[in-house]
């Protein structure tokens, strides 16, 4: 069944009035008709089964039939601080990590970050939000991952929810597994976690030192150097696996 994220303001009583772009998608792209059922999500964690009541090129509406609690969210709340890399690769990371269950994305400004991409125009931001929304609909998330404004590494290190793990290819001792196991004894609640992934050129030594000053642990992902976006997907997948989120 097709899934659509709307804002809570689009729902009044048991009527959903889809915004213009979704109305167009419902009528023109998906060619749906009144009576067809859809799942509507308002980013509160609830999901609504609804039947389309009005469908035309500019306006689609549906009537809510029932509501239930969504099952699409992982128990572990994982934030990805992803260094700014070439836009198409950054977008790929947004899409894949949404599918895997990241709850918050923070574009990260680092020394060697892709210069062209540092300024995020309103257009680009909208495009990123659309990529996240479509990936969340496709992967049956119950909530939309948040997209923050770009932050410097220093700000991220100061404010990221602990524990924070930084992927660093030169880390030869600490693995993800040992890092998580070490923490399981000291930190009662491992329900939230932040991860930091560097740009194509990697982190400067100074940046790694700074991270350590902020008590951020570096983790190695093996002897192969992964592209930045591959590292993001790999680290996210490995954490989801550790937390039992990749099981039926
Ligand atoms: N330019 C660097 C590699 C950067 S890889 C070099 O050639 O040495 C881009 C980012 O992906 C890194 O900053 C790191 O966060 C992550 N990454 C890639 N491979 C990794 C590995 N084997 N272990 C940990 N992190 C890795």
């Amino acid at each position: 069944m097709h899934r659509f994220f709307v804002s809570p303001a689009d729902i009044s009583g048991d009527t959903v009035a889809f915004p213009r772009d979704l109305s167009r998608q419902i009528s023109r792209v998906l060619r749906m008709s009144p009576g067809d059922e859809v799942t509507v999500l308002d980013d509160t964690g609830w999901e609504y089964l609804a039947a389309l009541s009005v469908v035309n090129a500019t306006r689609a509406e549906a009537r809510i039939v029932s509501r239930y609690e969504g099952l699409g969210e992982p128990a572990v709340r994982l934030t990805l601080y992803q260094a700014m890399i070439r836009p198409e690769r950054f977008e790929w990371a947004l899409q894949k990590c949404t599918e895997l269950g990241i709850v918050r994305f923070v574009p990260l400004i680092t020394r060697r970050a892709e210069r062209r991409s540092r300024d995020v125009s309103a257009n680009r931001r909208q495009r990123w939000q659309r990529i996240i929304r479509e990936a969340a609909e496709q992967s049956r998330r119950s909530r939309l991952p948040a997209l923050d404004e770009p932050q410097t590494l220093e700000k991220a290190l100061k404010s990221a929810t602990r524990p924070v793990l930084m992927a660093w290819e030169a880390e030869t001792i600490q693995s993800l597994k040992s890092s998580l196991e070490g923490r399981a004894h000291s930190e009662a609640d491992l329900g939230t976690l932040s991860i930091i992934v560097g740009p194509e050129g990697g982190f400067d030594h100074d940046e790694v030192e700074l991270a350590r000053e902020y008590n951020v642990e570096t983790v190695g992902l093996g002897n192969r150097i992964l592209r930045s976006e591959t590292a993001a997907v790999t680290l996210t997948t490995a954490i989801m696996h550790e937390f039992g989120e990749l099981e039926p």
Side-chain angles (χ1 to χ4, degrees), residues 112 167-169 196-203 219-228 231:
R112 301 182 191 158
W168 189 40
E169 61 283 358
I196 302 183
V197 175
E200 284 101 349
F203 289 112
V219 293
L221 297 170
N223 290 336
R224 288 151 303 282
I225 300 295
L226 308 171
R227 280 188 187 276
S228 174

Side-chain angles (χ1 to χ4, degrees), residues 18-26 130 133:
F18 293 97
R20 250 186 119 82
D21 57 332
L22 289 184
S23 294
R24 203 186 156 277
Q25 196 192 349
I26 286 168
R130 200 189 69 233
R133 179 174 56 74

Side-chain angles (χ1 to χ4, degrees), residues 195-207:
I195 53 176
I196 302 183
V197 175
E200 284 101 349
F203 289 112
D204 263 0
H205 220 88
D206 290 357
E207 293 179 313

Side-chain angles (χ1 to χ4, degrees), residues 10-83:
D10 296 328
I11 301 180
S12 74
D14 62 355
T15 303
V16 185
F18 293 97
R20 250 186 119 82
D21 57 332
L22 289 184
S23 294
R24 203 186 156 277
Q25 196 192 349
I26 286 168
S27 64
R28 290 289 153 92
V29 181
L30 299 170
R31 301 187 167 281
M32 299 183 88
S33 324
D36 288 348
E37 289 188 331
V38 295
T39 301
V40 176
L41 303 111
D42 62 359
D43 205 21
T44 57
W46 288 101
E47 301 189 5
Y48 306 90
L49 175 65
L52 292 171
S53 49
V54 177
V55 182
N56 61 50
T58 52
R59 195 161 69 94
E61 287 184 12
R63 186 123 304 168
I64 293 172
V65 179
S66 59
R67 80 168 190 171
Y68 43 94
E69 228 166 311
L71 299 174
E73 293 309 295
V76 54
R77 303 189 53 76
L78 193 56
T79 296
L80 169 63
Y81 290 81
Q82 170 64 50

Side-chain angles (χ1 to χ4, degrees), residues 1-182:
M1 190 173 322
H2 289 286
R3 297 165 71 87
F4 302 99
F5 275 99
V6 301
S7 83
D10 296 328
I11 301 180
S12 74
D14 62 355
T15 303
V16 185
F18 293 97
R20 250 186 119 82
D21 57 332
L22 289 184
S23 294
R24 203 186 156 277
Q25 196 192 349
I26 286 168
S27 64
R28 290 289 153 92
V29 181
L30 299 170
R31 301 187 167 281
M32 299 183 88
S33 324
D36 288 348
E37 289 188 331
V38 295
T39 301
V40 176
L41 303 111
D42 62 359
D43 205 21
T44 57
W46 288 101
E47 301 189 5
Y48 306 90
L49 175 65
L52 292 171
S53 49
V54 177
V55 182
N56 61 50
T58 52
R59 195 161 69 94
E61 287 184 12
R63 186 123 304 168
I64 293 172
V65 179
S66 59
R67 80 168 190 171
Y68 43 94
E69 228 166 311
L71 299 174
E73 293 309 295
V76 54
R77 303 189 53 76
L78 193 56
T79 296
L80 169 63
Y81 290 81
Q82 170 64 50
M84 307 280 270
I85 49 178
R86 296 233 302 268
E88 63 277 16
R89 298 200 164 152
F90 190 86
E91 290 171 4
W92 187 84
L94 287 179
Q95 184 189 53
K96 299 305 160 204
C97 292
T98 297
E99 293 168 34
L100 286 162
I102 290 284
V103 298
R104 188 171 149 234
F105 292 99
V106 187
L108 194 65
I109 299 166
T110 70
R111 292 245 180 99
R112 301 182 191 158
E114 175 74 15
R115 297 215 168 259
R116 277 180 305 157
S117 348
R118 281 194 183 185
D119 293 317
V120 180
S121 64
N123 259 349
R124 175 152 290 159
R125 198 183 151 72
Q126 265 175 15
R127 187 180 150 81
W128 288 357
Q129 271 162 336
R130 200 189 69 233
I131 289 169
I132 292 172
R133 179 174 56 74
E134 289 178 356
E137 288 169 350
Q138 176 271 318
S139 61
R140 306 202 192 160
R141 296 285 301 268
S142 306
R143 285 176 187 262
L144 270 184
L147 173 66
D148 285 17
E149 293 295 329
Q151 271 180 25
T152 60
L153 178 65
E154 179 149 25
K155 173 144 190 246
L157 293 171
K158 275 187 190 146
S159 60
T161 313
R162 268 49 190 171
V164 186
L165 305 179
M166 177 188 240
W168 189 40
E169 61 283 358
E171 172 61 60
T172 52
I173 299 166
Q174 185 86 267
S175 68
L176 171 68
K177 219 183 179 73
S178 59
S179 172
L180 290 179
E181 277 166 7

